[in-house]
Each structure stands twice: as structure tokens, then as C-alpha cells.
Amino acid sequence: MTLDDFRHEALVETSSTNADCFERARRGALSGLWITAARQTGGRGRRGRPWTSEAGNLYASLLLIDPAPMERLGSLPLAVAVAVQSAISSVMPIDAPPVKIKWPNDLLIERRKICGILIEAETMADGRQAIVIGCGINVAVAPETGLYPVARLTDYGCTVGPAELFAHLFREMADILRLWDSANGIGEIMARWRKAAGGIGERITVNLPTQSISGRFVGIDDSGLLKLETDDGDVRLIAAGDVFFE
């Protein structure tokens, strides 16, 4: 996909931009549709957690249709994180602390969450696979989540509003998805992810659905799985979980 393949629909208020993208997909929308809203009344995070969506922040979702074979989709969350990290970094003051990625795709500044990403999938009635990438970036408001410390971009001197930030995100996501779709793109994306990652070499705890595991975060493998070195020296690969720095 080229930059010209992407479109943008801006809403003042909606329940959920992710839900809107799926609704458009069911009506036959093509890949590359962005929907943004100034405010969401039913925003949500991973595992169905509520996501407060007051005006002043950026709420954006991107619809992709059949973007890649299923075996390649595991690397998509990391590619998305690289694009969002680059977009946010491009609007921050030069002397601001760096924007870091917490596995797999939360964005942090000084260990405080500034962005959450929710990727969802649905199979359409005609067999097409709809993937929706939802991004909530704390520009001017930092809603308390209860899970992690939070911050907003204005805390670090950012003067850019949601609309201008979205223009950067629009371009960066197009560039990263084009790279992700190229022959050797995933390797380059993994390299960029590692460069922007926070906490590599440090002790972390990963909350899984049935247990919590602690150890040293030693990086990711070539498919994007988290590599956790446990206290007995084994390296465990983890596909999904909530990461907490110790």
C-alpha cells in the first residue's frame, strides 16, 4: 500500500473508533481507512478493560483487510509500535526524555504510559479478514488506569495537538506497513523495535492469564515473542502478557 491508499474519516464523538472500523468493513470498506474521534464514549483497552477517552487526546483506528497471511500477523503489533513510537518522537522537544516501547506495544516516557494500542480481528461474512489497529495517545489528558503510571505528552513540553500528531501517525504508519509488507521488512522492523525498547536486561514480571512469571527481559526473538530468562537460567518465550518493571 502507498500513502495514497489511506483515507481518513474524522468524527467529533463516537462510542469506539475500533467498532466503527469493523462496521465500515462489514459494509465493504477497503483496507487503509483511518477513523479518528475527538472523544470516545465506549473506548476499551486490552482484555476488555475500559479506556477513558476524554477530549484532548488522539483516538485513532486503522482498518486493514487481509493484510498478510496468518503466520505473519504475529509481528504486526511490534510494527505498529515502531510506527507510533516514531510518530510521537517526531513531535517531542529535542530535550524531552525518549519515547520507549514496553513489550509488545505500549509507549512509555520515563516508565509512564502515554499510549495504548489495541489490535483486533474479525472475519467478515464474505471471508475477508478485517484487522483494526486502535491507538489512544495521551496528548493533554492522562486517565488513570490503575495498572501502570500514566503521563501525557504535554507533561514533557509537547505543544502539538491531536490533529497534527495524527498527521505524523498517518505517514509513519503507511511507511512502516509498506516496510512490513516487503521481503526483508520484518527483520528491519525488529531491529527498530529493539532499538526503541525499554527494559531490556532488567528484571520484569509478566502477568499471564493463570500465573505471574519473573525474570530478566533479554529481548525478543525474530517473530516478536518476549524472551524471559528465569531464575533457573532457562529462557521462556512468551506470546502475550502484561509486563511490569521491577
Side-chain angles (χ1 to χ4, degrees):
M1 297 177 68
T2 68
L3 192 63
D4 292 337
D5 293 318
F6 293 86
R7 295 95 61 210
H8 175 212
E9 179 180 341
L11 305 175
V12 174
E13 181 176 295
T14 189
S15 174
S16 161
T17 55
N18 269 30
D20 290 338
C21 279
F22 281 122
E23 188 272 334
R24 304 296 191 278
R26 296 183 198 107
R27 286 164 36 191
L30 300 178
S31 195
L33 173 64
W34 278 103
I35 296 180
T36 61
R39 181 175 180 269
Q40 293 183 125
T41 59
R44 62 189 186 280
R46 287 197 296 270
R47 302 185 185 181
R49 298 175 182 129
W51 182 273
T52 303
S53 308
E54 295 301 327
N57 292 341
L58 175 60
Y59 311 110
S61 296
L62 173 62
L63 171 66
L64 301 176
I65 302 294
D66 293 327
M70 289 298 295
E71 62 270 15
R72 291 187 57 232
L73 290 178
S75 60
L76 181 60
L78 282 78
V80 170
V82 169
V84 178
Q85 189 272 344
S86 182
I88 296 174
S89 296
S90 69
V91 302
M92 299 302 293
I94 295 175
D95 59 350
V99 180
K100 293 291 186 179
I101 303 172
K102 180 171 73 67
W103 185 89
N105 56 11
D106 281 340
L107 281 301
L108 312 178
I109 297 179
E110 295 184 327
R111 301 286 172 91
R112 299 165 72 192
K113 185 172 179 177
I114 56 167
C115 173
I117 297 171
L118 176 65
I119 301 179
E120 300 180 294
E122 182 178 319
T123 301
M124 300 292 103
D126 59 4
R128 298 180 306 152
Q129 183 78 358
I131 306 291
V132 174
I133 300 165
C135 304
I137 303 177
N138 296 345
V139 179
V141 182
E144 291 294 336
T145 66
L147 289 174
Y148 311 103
V150 294
R152 52 190 179 174
L153 301 188
T154 55
D155 292 333
Y156 300 100
C158 178
T159 59
V160 166
E164 186 174 346
L165 176 57
F166 175 69
H168 288 268
L169 179 61
F170 188 96
R171 181 172 294 277
E172 292 290 346
M173 192 70 74
D175 289 345
I176 284 295
L177 289 177
R178 185 168 59 249
L179 177 62
W180 180 71
D181 199 39
S182 65
N184 300 311
I186 291 179
E188 171 64 21
I189 285 170
M190 294 301 172
R192 295 189 191 184
W193 192 97
R194 292 182 179 101
K195 186 176 180 180
I200 291 181
E202 300 180 23
R203 282 191 63 83
I204 62 172
T205 295
V206 184
N207 287 353
L208 306 176
T210 59
Q211 62 177 321
S212 295
I213 306 173
S214 295
R216 190 169 68 92
F217 176 31
V218 294
I220 57 173
D221 72 359
D222 290 339
S223 65
L225 298 181
L226 182 146
K227 296 165 65 175
L228 185 72
E229 183 181 64
T230 57
D231 293 337
D232 58 11
D234 290 337
V235 175
R236 179 164 177 174
L237 296 178
I238 298 175
D242 291 318
V243 172
F244 296 86
F245 297 110
E246 295 187 2

